[in-house]
Amino acid sequence: MSEPASISTGIAARYATAMFELASEANALSALEGDVDALDAALSQSADLRDLIHSPLYGRDETAAAIGGVADAMNLQDMTGNTLRLMAQKRRLFVLPSLLAELRTRIADHKGEVTAEVTSAKALTKTQLDKLTKSLKAQVGKTVNVKATVDESIIGGLVVKIGSKMIDTSVRSKLNALQNTMKEVG
């Protein structure tokens, strides 16, 4: 991990710990989860919001006022809005995507859930997703939320990532392994 990525992950983890503990004490974890979902969706949809959190052109007060306006317009919890304002004042808004990922992980752990990132060569049907979810739940022992993506370059099969574990049954990886074996032989 690069040093800047490590620093931003550490900053995000500290903010996530504080927010999670405050929400937990106030029995507001479901509201915090709603805020995380809303902010995540807003970040993915709004180039202006992404510019706001990354641009050094805006001053602390401008950024804090802008992110406060965004929080108010989105009807986020007071704690979430105040945290965003504080992050703007401290010039820490650039860690917002990492913060959201950290919070999502902590909330899922609290609920006994785990997210599996599944990559397939073509979109999985509902039946296939259901079977995969049941199989993964049996393996992991927790409720599994499947985040499916399509990557045609894997040719066939699946690549499943759960936490730090990865199961790669793709045709591409098998062809690469065969190619490496052929290089060793010949």
Side-chain angles (χ1 to χ4, degrees), residues 7-144:
I7 290 170
S8 65
T9 302
I11 293 168
R14 288 191 296 275
Y15 278 104
T17 298
M19 289 181 74
F20 182 82
E21 288 177 1
L22 287 171
S24 184
E25 289 172 10
N27 291 323
L29 285 176
S30 60
L32 179 62
E33 185 175 18
D35 287 354
V36 168
D37 292 340
L39 281 168
D40 209 13
L43 276 175
S44 66
Q45 294 172 0
S46 174
D48 290 337
L49 182 57
R50 288 190 301 273
D51 288 344
L52 175 68
I53 68 171
H54 291 294
S55 178
L57 298 176
Y58 306 111
R60 294 172 192 253
D61 293 334
E62 288 176 307
T63 307
I67 200 69
V70 168
D72 293 342
M74 293 176 66
N75 293 323
L76 300 179
Q77 293 185 78
D78 289 341
M79 179 199 60
T80 305
N82 292 338
T83 301
L84 293 174
R85 288 177 185 91
L86 175 66
M87 290 172 69
Q89 283 293 326
K90 301 284 186 184
R91 292 228 177 257
R92 300 281 191 252
L93 271 181
F94 67 94
V95 302
L96 184 57
S98 298
L99 170 65
L100 297 176
E102 282 282 334
L103 283 170
R104 197 174 296 283
T105 300
R106 290 169 195 261
I107 291 168
D109 285 345
H110 179 75
K111 291 166 61 176
E113 297 175 347
V114 67
T115 299
E117 297 176 21
V118 178
T119 306
S120 59
K122 64 179 188 173
L124 298 175
T125 65
K126 173 105 173 88
T127 305
Q128 291 170 326
L129 276 173
D130 290 343
K131 285 182 181 179
L132 180 62
T133 302
K134 285 179 185 175
S135 176
L136 291 173
K137 183 177 180 176
Q139 290 283 325
V140 177
K142 294 182 178 181
T143 302
V144 178

Side-chain angles (χ1 to χ4, degrees), residues 179-186:
Q179 184 179 21
N180 288 337
T181 303
M182 301 277 290
K183 284 180 185 177
E184 290 174 6
V185 171

